[in-house]
Amino acid sequence: MAEIIAYVLIPILYLGALWVYLGIAPFIAALRGLALVMQLLAGHGRLLIGVLHRRTPEFRTLPPYLPQDEEVKAYRNYFFGPAFRDLRQLLTLERRSYVRAVGDSFRTVTSRQFAAPVRSRAITVPYGLTLYAGLGMGAALAVPLIGLLLLLHALVVVLLMGGARFVAGTLRALDRTVLWMKRLRTGMLCPHCFERVPYPAYDCPRPVCRRRHADIRPGTYGIFRRRCECGERMPTLLMLMSRDARLQAYCVYPPCGKPMNADAGHMPEVVLPLIGGQAAGKTQLMAAMLLSMENAAARGGPSITLADADSEANYQVLREVLRMRGHTRATQKALPRAHSFVLGSGRSERLVHLFDTAGERFVDRDETDALRYAQAAHTFVFVLDPMAVKDFWTTLEPSPGAVPDRTLASTVDPEEVFGRSVHAVAAMGAPLKRSRLAVAISKTDLLAEYGLVPGRLDDSDDARTWLREGLGLSSFVQAMELEFQEVRFFCTAAVADEDAQVDGSITRFVDWCLRS
């Protein structure tokens, strides 16, 4: 009887039970497979959070982009490198996580159901085989699901990277368009080396940092804001800099690298070179021009603000000398630095650069080649000292018993200065045929004391006739009119009274020179 039970009834019952189990085994396998799929998807979510948000060492497989490793000491914009790096890290970690999770699940089943079961293998083996089947199906099903999620992630990254580049390019184009509208097509003028700077470099605004950023425009290191290595954020566009938060601009050319005007790029620029021989009165005239504009602003005209500390300091000295009717010191032969000021307000603002160059540079042909600032000018000022003309002392007749002090005359022939300077400027590619020339006949306040001035001091034609007929400069005047599109003659008296009011001739002269 025992043998019947052991070898007949029990096997029959086991087979019956196994038959019943086979009916529910697919559900068990499906549930185990679904559990594995959910486990793998949950792991993917944890990896996503870890890679994109937590960024702890266990989620790092590639070295991060650090500012100290960059050519520009700034943090990269996420969509210019770090986003693709995170995608690569996610793919690596996902592959490792998948292999580990599936492997651990199979090893757990093997250990519990086959190697060291807590119950009879007659029960655990069929159950283990069912779990194997479920794990196999789950592992196979999870691959396309996770692959689809990774593909969607990659697609989003690619679209956002493309979008970031499109936005950066659009902002660059918009910034360039604004510069074109401000007539800064070739860049901003450096007041030191006279090169046109396409886009200045800027120092980090944090006082303890001051790292220099060569190109802050939208791109790799920021779209709307750039984050310096020190953590300070700075705008990437000129139009994002408010007047109170403008960064200090610097020339980008290595031999120079000096500070530019803080207003560079924020408004149109006007370059006004003063050409003339030594002691012709250029510096005195420039001082009078600045004081004239200051007087006009006080009367309700366009406001004037000196653009930098050097211009402010130099002007204060010149203003006081002019008020005391003293003589300005001779301009140094070193390359001149522009005397810069902001004229007007709102949309009429202009950054004006006045260049006062030592007269010696207009005589030496090698020296004139350094005056590159003239390439950017559309209006030129030629300061003509009548007393430097030889015929002045032989043709004109002063008042009886009085002659001007000859030591106050320029020692250089005006025709020589004009010829060499115009030749040098034309050789640099300056569009003289489309430019204007203001001829400032200097020292007329002194000449008026001796009756040696044109009949009408405020008339260009009278001044032109006086130069042609009175001083015998017909060919010189003709040369001027051939070289320039428009030539206007002014009799100027660069003097001021005790109330710092300049002669009216300077006001008319300035209005014409700065006419848009």
Side-chain angles (χ1 to χ4, degrees):
M1 189 64 184
E3 290 80 2
I4 294 173
I5 294 174
Y7 296 106
V8 177
L9 293 180
I10 291 179
I12 292 174
L13 291 174
Y14 177 75
L15 291 174
L18 190 59
W19 178 260
V20 173
Y21 175 74
L22 289 176
I24 62 172
F27 296 101
I28 296 175
L31 290 174
R32 185 64 187 94
L34 180 61
L36 179 61
V37 170
M38 297 304 295
Q39 177 186 351
L40 292 173
L41 293 178
H44 175 77
R46 285 193 297 272
L47 290 178
L48 201 60
I49 294 173
V51 170
L52 301 182
H53 177 63
R54 294 177 60 187
R55 300 186 181 279
T56 48
E58 65 268 23
F59 297 106
R60 187 179 301 153
T61 63
L62 295 172
Y65 291 99
L66 298 175
Q68 53 266 35
D69 299 329
E70 299 284 341
E71 183 178 355
V72 176
K73 303 306 178 185
Y75 288 90
R76 283 183 176 239
N77 178 271
Y78 182 70
F79 297 107
F80 283 82
F84 186 69
R85 167 184 167 271
D86 285 348
L87 177 60
R88 291 174 59 197
Q89 290 189 130
L90 187 60
L91 290 172
T92 300
L93 293 171
E94 188 60 57
R95 186 186 71 251
R96 295 176 183 175
S97 176
Y98 176 85
V99 172
R100 183 171 58 251
V102 173
D104 288 348
S105 297
F106 273 98
R107 281 189 292 272
T108 299
V109 172
T110 301
S111 173
R112 293 180 179 179
Q113 309 303 327
F114 294 95
V118 295
R119 294 182 179 82
S120 172
R121 284 188 172 83
I123 298 174
T124 60
V125 168
Y127 184 63
L129 293 174
T130 303
L131 295 180
Y132 273 162
L135 290 174
M137 291 186 297
L141 181 60
V143 170
L145 293 178
I146 294 176
L148 179 61
L149 292 176
L150 291 172
L151 182 62
L152 289 175
H153 183 90
L155 181 61
V156 170
V157 167
V158 170
L159 290 176
L160 290 177
M161 288 173 62
R165 282 158 175 76
F166 175 77
V167 172
T170 301
L171 289 175
R172 279 176 172 253
L174 179 61
D175 193 56
R176 176 54 57 188
T177 301
V178 172
L179 291 177
W180 273 62
M181 293 172 63
K182 294 175 181 176
R183 299 191 294 277
L184 298 173
R185 298 174 180 83
T186 56
M188 294 136 258
L189 182 72
C190 173
H192 298 279
C193 69
F194 320 132
E195 295 287 353
R196 279 290 184 178
V197 179
Y199 218 87
Y202 292 93
D203 278 358
C204 173
R206 179 171 291 184
V208 297
C209 177
R210 294 302 182 189
R211 288 178 176 84
R212 187 157 299 177
H213 298 257
D215 189 351
I216 65 169
R217 286 176 293 180
T220 302
Y221 300 101
I223 296 180
F224 294 101
R225 289 285 186 272
R226 170 176 292 196
R227 187 182 172 202
C228 179
E229 183 180 359
C230 70
E232 186 74 14
R233 296 185 181 275
M234 49 199 299
T236 59
L237 294 168
L238 289 167
M239 57 187 176
L240 295 179
M241 299 181 194
S242 64
R243 178 173 289 277
D244 297 331
R246 288 178 181 173
L247 304 179
Q248 176 59 60
Y250 290 87
C251 179
V252 298
Y253 293 102
C256 180
K258 294 180 181 179
M260 298 172 60
N261 303 112
D263 296 298
H266 295 279
M267 59 191 69
E269 293 185 358
V270 177
V271 176
L272 194 61
L274 275 67
I275 301 172
Q278 186 178 14
K282 299 186 304 300
T283 305
Q284 196 92 358
L285 177 62
M286 184 187 68
M289 292 171 66
L290 292 171
L291 186 55
S292 171
M293 286 181 279
E294 183 181 308
N295 293 340
R299 294 192 297 268
S303 62
I304 178 173
T305 306
L306 276 301
D308 51 70
D310 288 342
S311 297
E312 178 71 33
N314 291 335
Y315 172 58
Q316 292 306 325
V317 174
L318 294 174
R319 185 178 187 273
E320 187 62 22
V321 171
L322 194 67
R323 189 186 67 80
M324 296 187 305
R325 292 179 176 265
H327 296 287
T328 59
R329 63 185 177 90
T331 306
Q332 299 300 305
K333 192 179 179 183
L335 280 177
R337 188 199 184 282
H339 297 264
S340 305
F341 57 91
V342 176
L343 184 65
S345 59
R347 293 189 176 183
S348 65
E349 278 186 324
R350 290 178 290 170
L351 178 59
V352 182
H353 302 286
L354 289 180
F355 282 95
D356 172 24
T357 306
E360 299 93 319
R361 284 192 173 273
F362 297 111
V363 178
D364 190 334
R365 190 178 303 275
D366 294 331
E367 297 284 0
T368 56
D369 291 340
L371 309 180
R372 296 183 297 276
Y373 59 83
Q375 299 176 75
H378 295 284
T379 299
F380 293 78
V381 174
F382 182 73
V383 182
L384 194 158
D385 180 4
M387 293 191 295
V389 180
K390 294 179 181 179
D391 288 355
F392 175 85
W393 303 99
T394 58
T395 304
L396 298 179
E397 296 182 0
S399 300
V403 294
D405 185 355
R406 197 158 189 164
T407 62
L408 299 178
S410 173
T411 58
V412 186
D413 182 9
E415 291 192 61
E416 181 183 3
V417 173
F418 180 82
R420 291 192 175 182
S421 57
V422 166
H423 177 76
V425 172
M428 296 174 192
L432 296 183
K433 295 295 184 182
R434 301 193 303 271
S435 300
R436 304 185 306 155
L437 176 66
V439 181
I441 302 171
S442 62
K443 306 175 184 177
T444 54
D445 55 312
L446 175 64
L447 301 182
E449 297 177 6
Y450 303 96
L452 301 176
V453 291
R456 291 185 56 191
L457 296 178
D458 60 349
D459 187 78
S460 175
D461 291 336
D462 271 15
R464 178 179 180 275
T465 301
W466 183 70
L467 291 177
R468 288 170 57 90
E469 299 177 2
L471 298 184
L473 298 178
S474 297
S475 59
F476 187 19
V477 171
Q478 184 179 10
M480 293 178 180
E481 294 172 340
L482 288 175
E483 291 288 351
F484 290 86
Q485 182 182 43
E486 182 181 1
V487 181
R488 186 67 64 89
F489 300 87
F490 297 88
C491 293
T492 60
V495 292
D497 59 23
E498 293 183 355
D499 296 326
Q501 299 297 312
V502 297
D503 189 81
S505 62
I506 301 298
T507 303
R508 293 188 295 272
F509 171 73
V510 170
D511 289 344
W512 189 86
C513 289
L514 296 179
R515 187 181 68 194
S516 299

